[in-house]
């Protein structure tokens, strides 16, 4: 009996020692090879080469101002993992330090109360939808020393100003003119911006990327320039305030669902009646071969075709 009692005590002692070690390390595995590390404020992951840390989520952090530290356990913090702060409603501001190189996909997506973001000089990669659908966001500030990005009037651009990456959706302006330096309006750049009613596409914009203006339900009119050649997939999806669109002569491609659910759209005018085709075969679209010719002379029919009947088709000009 004493033997069994002694063994039981030894087993309990071993379990306690293991538990203490695990608690001291603050680690757990989520099924991946790399364990997560809990701190008081955030959840971290060590990089594969163990040279830096990645923030993967929120811990017990509860301040309205989100201040990400430069380092953790004497190693720099270089990455904010995708969806790390997705839908966190507690933050009103966020400061991303100089140590961070990458801001992941949807990392701050749908942070409803986020008003301002400060981006340090080290960031060289910003993932898709990183700051999208933040309805209160009015200011994005980028360090002037950053070599990849810059802010203009609180909006986020590539350093050379050729790409508009993110419009600050919390702005109260009802009109916006895309700057003339911009060549490309990025994916999801204005998604869910409900306050804009008047939009002018800048003189040198050549492409509007997928979902760029999706769910901009307040948008009433869009003025296109004479250099635009591509309207991306779902780029004006559910812009339910639009009633009329005049497409420029320079336009060559309209991707699928570009104007789907624009339910009040009554007229789409093609500036010059060139030969337009539609197809559901992407290879035909890319090679400009095949397809079905479209009669674009009737603006009312055009609106019906692009909003519903043939919304799922690729449209292109030969």
């Amino acid at each position: 009996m004493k033997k069994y009692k002694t063994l039981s005590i030894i087993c309990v002692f071993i379990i306690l020692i293991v538990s203490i070690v695990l608690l001291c390390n603050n680690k757990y595995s989520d099924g991946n090879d790399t364990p997560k590390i809990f701190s008081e404020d955030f959840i971290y992951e060590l990089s594969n080469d163990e040279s830096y840390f990645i923030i993967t989520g929120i811990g017990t952090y509860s301040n309205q101002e989100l201040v990400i530290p430069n380092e953790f356990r004497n190693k720099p913090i270089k990455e904010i993992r995708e969806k790390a702060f997705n839908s966190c409603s507690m933050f009103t501001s966020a400061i991303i330090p100089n140590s961070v190189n990458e801001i992941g996909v949807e990392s701050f997506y749908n942070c409803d109360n986020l008003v301002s973001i400060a981006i340090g000089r080290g960031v060289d990669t910003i993932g898709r939808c990183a700051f999208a659908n933040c309805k209160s966001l009015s200011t994005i500030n980028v360090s002037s020393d950053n070599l990849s990005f810059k802010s203009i009037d609180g909006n986020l651009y590539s350093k050379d100003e050729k790409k508009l990456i993110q419009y600050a959706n919390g702005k109260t302006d009802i009109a916006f003119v895309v700057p003339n330096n911009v060549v490309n309006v990025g994916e999801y750049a204005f998604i869910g911006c409900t306050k804009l009613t008047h939009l002018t596409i800048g003189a040198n914009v050549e492409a509007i990327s997928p979902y760029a203006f999706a769910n901009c339900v307040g948008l009433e009119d869009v003025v296109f320039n004479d250099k635009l050649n591509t309207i991306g997939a779902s780029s004006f999806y559910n812009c339910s305030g639009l009633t009329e669109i005049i497409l420029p002569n320079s336009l060559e491609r309209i991707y699928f669902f570009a104007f789907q659910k624009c339910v009040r759209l009554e007229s789409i005018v093609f500036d010059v009646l060139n030969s337009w085709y539609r197809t559901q075969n992407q290879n035909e679209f890319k090679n400009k071969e095949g397809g079905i010719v479209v009669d674009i002379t009737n603006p009312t029919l055009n609106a019906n075709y692009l909003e519903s009947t043939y919304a799922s088709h690729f449209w292109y000009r030969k």
Side-chain angles (χ1 to χ4, degrees), residues 167 173-176 190 193-199 218-220:
Y167 178 82
D173 302 347
I174 62 170
F176 183 74
F190 291 77
C193 183
T194 59
K195 299 177 183 69
L196 278 183
T197 58
H198 309 290
L199 173 67
L219 198 58
E220 296 176 2

Side-chain angles (χ1 to χ4, degrees), residues 101-128:
N101 300 139
E102 181 175 348
I103 301 172
V105 171
E106 296 185 14
S107 49
F108 290 88
Y109 180 82
N110 203 36
C111 290
D112 282 349
N113 295 315
L114 191 61
V115 175
S116 66
I117 296 170
I119 298 173
R121 65 171 177 267
V123 174
D124 57 26
T125 302
I126 297 177
R128 173 179 52 82

Side-chain angles (χ1 to χ4, degrees), residues 66-202:
L66 173 65
V67 180
I68 295 171
N70 274 289
E71 61 177 37
F72 176 67
R73 294 187 177 177
N74 297 318
K75 295 182 188 292
I77 296 166
K78 289 191 175 184
E79 184 180 338
I80 299 172
R81 181 60 55 79
E82 65 178 70
K83 299 185 179 181
F85 303 109
N86 188 305
S87 300
C88 287
S89 58
M90 73 179 81
F91 306 130
T92 57
S93 64
I95 298 175
I96 299 169
N98 293 329
S99 64
V100 171
N101 300 139
E102 181 175 348
I103 301 172
V105 171
E106 296 185 14
S107 49
F108 290 88
Y109 180 82
N110 203 36
C111 290
D112 282 349
N113 295 315
L114 191 61
V115 175
S116 66
I117 296 170
I119 298 173
R121 65 171 177 267
V123 174
D124 57 26
T125 302
I126 297 177
R128 173 179 52 82
C129 283
F131 309 117
N133 219 42
C134 296
K135 64 183 182 181
S136 300
L137 185 60
S138 59
T139 304
I140 303 171
N141 287 318
V142 181
S143 168
S144 59
D145 296 327
N146 189 293
L147 300 178
S148 301
F149 305 101
K150 73 184 303 182
S151 51
I152 302 173
D153 296 330
N155 300 316
L156 179 64
Y157 296 79
S158 59
K159 189 69 172 184
D160 61 8
E161 302 179 23
K162 289 185 177 181
K163 185 172 184 179
L164 197 169
I165 298 167
Q166 182 66 60
Y167 178 82
N169 279 7
K171 288 179 177 291
T172 57
D173 302 347
I174 62 170
F176 183 74
V177 179
V178 176
N180 288 336
N181 288 339
V182 174
V183 174
N184 178 270
V185 178
E187 287 184 275
Y188 303 89
F190 291 77
I191 189 170
C193 183
T194 59
K195 299 177 183 69
L196 278 183
T197 58
H198 309 290
L199 173 67
T200 301
I201 304 297

Side-chain angles (χ1 to χ4, degrees), residues 14-27 73:
I14 291 170
I15 291 170
L16 283 171
I17 292 296
V18 171
S19 299
I20 290 168
V21 169
L22 288 173
L23 284 171
C24 287
N25 285 334
N26 274 339
K27 293 183 179 181
R73 294 187 177 177

Side-chain angles (χ1 to χ4, degrees), residues 217-228:
V217 295
L219 198 58
E220 296 176 2
D221 60 80
V222 180
V223 178
F224 293 103
N225 64 30
D226 58 4
K227 285 190 177 180
L228 184 70

